Amino acid sequence: MRVLLVEDDEPIAESLTRGLSRYGFEVRWVRTGAEALAAPETTEEEAAIVLVDLGLPDMDGLDVCRELRTRGDVPIIVISARSDEVDRVVGLEIGADDYVTKPFGVREVVARMRAVLRRAQPNQPAQEHGRLRVDRRGRRVHLDGAELVLTPKEFDLLAFLAEEPGAVFTREQIMEAVWDENWFGPTKTLDVHVGVLRRKLGDAASLETVRGVGFRLVLA
Ligand code: CA
């Protein structure tokens, strides 16, 4: 999933970029409103989710939101430094889908982004991955048409890896996304869940171990 980050504060932008990449987002960072409005990510063809800081060097972030809204339905989350700015966002109803106030944690931003994306695509069909069908809204997986019985964590793990079949996700990325951001310690539980999922998936897909790195989902 692509993210356009519009933020002139370098430390915030860098930590957000790093954090969001860990969750598998592909971040493009621009510093000004003008760059944001010229970015391909804000067009229909390359629609992404847009995170906009309100205090930009060249224009008001609210005007960026307003302009994007006249062009289409790209999901927008406002990044705000002060609560009175939030009042403005809400009061002006400029079309942002949600907002976060500084300081914020990456996990909070990701939660808001996922919520906004779910609302933006209320009728998103289940995704077909080879013989697998992953329905994130209904939290169900079908294999050759028959429902796989999965625990919530098994579902989260499979759905996370299925976001990009073939891509390697590190143990750290998986633990953060599926278990807890502030997780430290052994990843034994991950291995246990991988083992169970392998058994349940049979030959429809394999969860390959990439030694010293993590895992990837390979479709049959
Ligand atoms: Ca700023």
Side-chain angles (χ1 to χ4, degrees), residues 6-9 12 53-57 81 102:
V6 191
E7 168 67 82
D8 60 316
D9 186 314
I12 289 178
D53 175 35
L54 288 188
L56 296 170
K102 298 172 184 175

Side-chain angles (χ1 to χ4, degrees), residues 54-178:
L54 288 188
L56 296 170
D58 60 335
M59 57 195 285
D60 192 323
L62 290 180
D63 291 326
V64 176
C65 296
R66 236 180 249 114
E67 173 59 26
L68 290 179
R69 198 43 84 230
T70 63
R71 298 182 188 179
D73 295 328
V74 65
I76 303 171
I77 295 178
V78 161
I79 303 170
S80 163
R82 306 190 311 268
S83 48
D84 59 326
E85 285 182 337
V86 170
D87 293 342
R88 283 171 69 207
V89 175
V90 174
L92 290 170
E93 293 174 347
I94 39 77
D97 297 284
D98 205 348
Y99 61 87
V100 287
T101 46
K102 298 172 184 175
F104 48 75
V106 170
R107 196 175 168 78
E108 182 189 352
V109 177
V110 170
R112 298 296 178 93
M113 288 168 60
R114 290 195 171 139
V116 163
L117 289 169
R118 272 196 301 275
R119 287 201 299 273
Q121 303 159 332
N123 299 312
Q124 187 190 30
Q127 276 180 305
E128 307 282 347
H129 297 288
R131 292 160 58 194
L132 292 173
R133 182 180 166 84
V134 180
D135 173 3
R136 288 184 172 75
R137 283 177 53 76
R139 294 183 61 83
R140 301 206 298 183
V141 176
H142 286 80
L143 168 55
D144 294 337
E147 184 168 356
L148 276 184
V149 180
L150 301 176
T151 64
K153 284 299 178 204
E154 287 163 11
F155 175 85
D156 289 341
L157 174 59
L158 180 56
F160 180 69
L161 294 173
E163 278 175 18
E164 205 177 339
V168 180
F169 293 94
T170 67
R171 285 176 170 272
E172 191 187 26
Q173 285 175 323
I174 298 169
M175 290 306 293
E176 285 187 359
V178 178

